[in-house]
Structure formats: C-alpha cells, structure tokens
Amino acid sequence: MNSALAPPSTLTSLPHQKLHSFRSPPSLPSSASMTTTTARGSLAVTAAATTTLREGIAEFYNETSGLWEEIWGDHMHHGFYDPDSSVQLSDSGHREAQIRMIEESLRFAGVTDGEEEEEEKKIKRVVDVGCGIGGSSRYLASKFGAECVGITLSPFQAKRANDLAAAQSLSNKVSFQVADALDQPFEDGTFDLVWSMESGEHMPDKAKFVNELVRVAAPGGRIIIVTWCHRNLSQGEEALQPWEQNLLDRICKTFYLPAWCSTSDYVQLLQSLSLEDIKYADWSDNVAPFWPAVIRTALTWKGLVSLLRSGMKSIKGALTMPLMIEGFKKGVIKFGIITCRKPL
C-alpha cells in the first residue's frame, strides 16, 4: 500500500501535546510593528518584489520537487516525532512521521473523520494551499471522502500531483492547479477545511495570506496553518537580534522566503478578523529529528547522485540545511501550528 494512503489505524498513537487556547499572549507586537519586526524588514513587499519572489519559488520547486519525491516520497513537509526521541528511524519510519504530522494537525484542530459528525458538519470540500505534489490532498481526500483542490505556484508540481492522483484512481476527488495563494481562484465560503502545510513561510504578505484563507473558508469551516516561524519577541523587544536576522536572511536567499513572522503575529492577525477557537502550539521539539535525517539521506550515494543531477538550486538547498538545524537549536526558528474556526 502506498504510504501516503496508509489508514490512520496504522499510525503510532500520538502523545498528548501541550496546546494554548488564545487569550492574550504576553508579548504580542503592536499592529504597527508587524510591518517591521521580521528578518527581512516587512511582512508585505512591493509588487515587483512579489513577482520576482513568485517566479523564484516556482523555479525552485520546478527544479527540486523531483529530487524530493525520489528520496522522500510525496509528502513535502516535516515529520512529527516523539520529543527527545533518540531512535534512528528508517526511511519508511520518517515517511510515517510525515503522515503522522497530518494526523496530529487534524487532532489538534479537532477535525474528525466525520463518522460521528452530523451531515452538515462533515468535511466535504478541502483546499490545500501550497500543495506540493499533492501528498496531503490525496491523504485528506481518502480520509474524509472529500473533494480536494490543491494550488501551487509550480507547474511541475501541479502536473505531477495530477499524474499521481490519476495513478491512484483519485482524479474524481482531487485536482491541482497553478494559482497564487494570495489571490485564490475560488468563491467566498467554498471550503470546509482550509489546509496550509508549510506554505505560509513563502508568503510575502502574511495579512493578505490569512485574509485569503479566511475568505475561502465556509462559515463554520476550520483553518489549519502549519508553518516555520521565528521566535516570539520578548516583552520590550522590537525586533530580532542582528545575528538572528542574519541567520534567517541566509536561509531566505536559498529557499525563496520573504519576511518571517512569529506565531504571535499569526494569532494577532486571526484575532483581528474575529475568528473563533484560536489555538496554537510550538512543535519545534517534535520536528527536531527531521533536518538531520534529510542531511543523512543527502549524504548517501543515491542522495549525492540525485542531488548533483537535480541542479544548483537543490545543491544550495542541501548546503543550507545545517542553518535550519542551527536555527532550531538556538531557538530562533520555531515550528508552529495555528488553527481557528470561521464563525457561522
């Protein structure tokens, strides 16, 4: 059986995770500072810079997605692990951890498989914002029996995702297209579940990104954002330390990232839109084994040959991976989940 479609019953039971229901984080930046307290200076950038960024993201994933699939399969996101786990997992174990990330995200958000839900509360339509080659979309469509639409800036990813859907007899349930997450081609209130798995970090305008997620969500729909963030600023801080900004800036240049923001920034944006049931958590400890595992696979004979064949963007990405590990270890980079519900 394809690991991307492994039934939930095959997954290891998940440990209880500390979560935070939103009240008022002690050190939220002011709304004015949200446009300045980031590694690259602003949560929103000029139209010309946005166009250049969009083209760079598309080219990066056009070039690197085939390599990622060859080595890691069709889930282009972190795995979820037990904290402080010292177990050296096999490749299949890491792929199971990626599926576990999907399941834990759903559990945290209170999204069930719908068997005990009333008909009007079941997940029927899903949008996968920043879908990669469609691993999450196909998994969610199979789990919920829902229609799922994935969007990506990469033509390569959209085609490959549609090809994989056809190969898995899921074309009647899932489809993929090239579209901008900041200007989604969907009507208001379309989706019961709005899913963003590690795509928010690419968004040059975080406020517009969140507004689009809310716009396309149906009344009562659930929004799930899983993303890399920088640490929350402490009381009295107006920006990250210069060395922290420099570290993030070096990562940005390789992975085509604009300004980073914190989990608190996301919470504040959701609060400003009067979203309900806002929850967030720091899962940095749960993803800690991931980047070392990616580096180990890159250093295998198969990994090195595939890396050299893939091109310069992939090579630069591999060379940047130690910076991600450094960022996590020093507490600059955080891996966060933020969820909320659109009011009825």
Side-chain angles (χ1 to χ4, degrees):
M1 177 181 292
N2 189 307
S3 62
L5 299 178
S9 60
T10 66
L11 302 175
T12 305
S13 59
L14 303 177
H16 175 70
Q17 294 297 308
K18 181 180 179 182
L19 62 86
H20 309 271
S21 294
F22 178 69
R23 293 182 178 85
S24 179
S27 57
L28 278 178
S30 67
S31 58
S33 70
M34 285 188 65
T35 63
T36 58
T37 57
T38 63
R40 291 174 68 87
S42 176
L43 289 177
V45 296
T46 65
T50 297
T51 298
T52 300
L53 177 67
R54 186 186 300 117
E55 292 171 351
I57 293 170
E59 291 172 1
F60 179 79
Y61 286 110
N62 284 343
E63 183 174 306
T64 63
S65 295
L67 169 64
W68 184 272
E69 182 186 2
E70 182 178 355
I71 302 298
W72 277 81
D74 56 357
H75 290 283
M76 300 183 69
H77 58 79
H78 283 70
F80 185 96
Y81 306 84
D82 293 325
D84 303 318
S85 174
S86 60
V87 177
Q88 296 295 315
L89 298 176
S90 64
D91 287 348
S92 61
H94 288 297
R95 294 185 186 189
E96 288 173 3
Q98 290 175 302
I99 297 173
R100 190 178 176 187
M101 174 63 75
I102 297 175
E103 284 291 333
E104 177 67 1
S105 298
L106 294 170
R107 186 204 65 79
F108 181 85
V111 179
T112 68
D113 60 12
E115 292 182 1
E116 70 279 10
E117 294 281 2
E118 298 175 7
E119 184 64 28
E120 64 271 16
K121 293 183 179 179
K122 289 184 178 181
I123 302 297
K124 298 176 183 177
R125 298 207 69 191
V126 179
V127 61
D128 185 353
V129 180
C131 61
I133 56 173
S136 292
S137 298
R138 291 186 293 277
Y139 187 88
L140 294 169
S142 297
K143 179 179 179 67
F144 295 111
E147 296 180 12
C148 191
V149 181
I151 60 174
T152 173
L153 291 174
S154 165
F156 175 92
Q157 287 187 335
K159 182 181 185 304
R160 182 58 181 153
N162 280 315
D163 289 346
L164 287 169
Q168 297 171 17
S169 300
L170 285 171
S171 294
N172 63 324
K173 285 290 187 183
V174 297
S175 63
F176 304 92
Q177 59 187 279
V178 175
D180 188 348
L182 301 185
D183 187 20
Q184 297 182 36
F186 311 118
E187 295 182 359
D188 296 358
T190 300
F191 300 101
D192 307 303
L193 177 60
V194 177
W195 178 268
S196 171
M197 176 61 71
E198 297 187 41
S199 63
E201 49 267 30
H202 282 301
M203 305 301 166
D205 188 330
K206 300 297 192 287
K208 189 173 183 181
F209 170 55
V210 169
N211 271 276
E212 273 294 273
L213 299 183
V214 175
R215 182 186 67 79
V216 301
R222 173 62 62 174
I223 298 168
I224 300 177
I225 303 168
V226 182
T227 186
W228 315 348
C229 296
H230 67 61
R231 65 172 177 82
N232 290 334
L233 299 180
S234 301
Q235 189 70 37
E237 278 190 304
E238 295 185 357
L240 295 172
Q241 297 298 312
W243 71 266
E244 294 175 314
Q245 294 179 351
N246 180 64
L247 175 64
L248 296 185
D249 197 49
R250 292 164 66 191
I251 295 171
C252 288
K253 291 176 182 177
T254 297
F255 292 136
Y256 293 90
L257 306 177
W260 293 55
C261 70
S262 68
T263 304
S264 292
D265 291 333
Y266 273 111
V267 170
Q268 186 177 29
L269 286 171
L270 296 174
Q271 183 193 33
S272 72
L273 297 172
S274 300
L275 279 302
E276 298 177 348
D277 193 22
I278 301 172
K279 298 187 294 185
Y280 66 100
D282 179 357
W283 284 354
S284 301
D285 289 342
N286 298 101
V287 302
F290 183 74
W291 285 101
V294 174
I295 290 176
R296 285 196 298 272
T297 60
L299 294 177
T300 63
W301 177 250
K302 177 182 178 181
L304 288 170
V305 171
S306 299
L307 190 64
L308 292 172
R309 188 172 62 241
S310 180
M312 187 54 64
K313 287 184 174 62
S314 295
I315 294 171
K316 288 181 178 179
L319 294 174
T320 304
M321 289 183 222
L323 296 179
M324 290 294 297
I325 295 175
E326 180 183 354
F328 276 118
K329 285 185 175 179
K330 292 184 175 180
V332 183
I333 298 175
K334 297 293 184 179
F335 189 90
I337 180 170
I338 310 99
T339 80
C340 64
R341 185 168 55 82
K342 187 173 181 177
L344 290 169

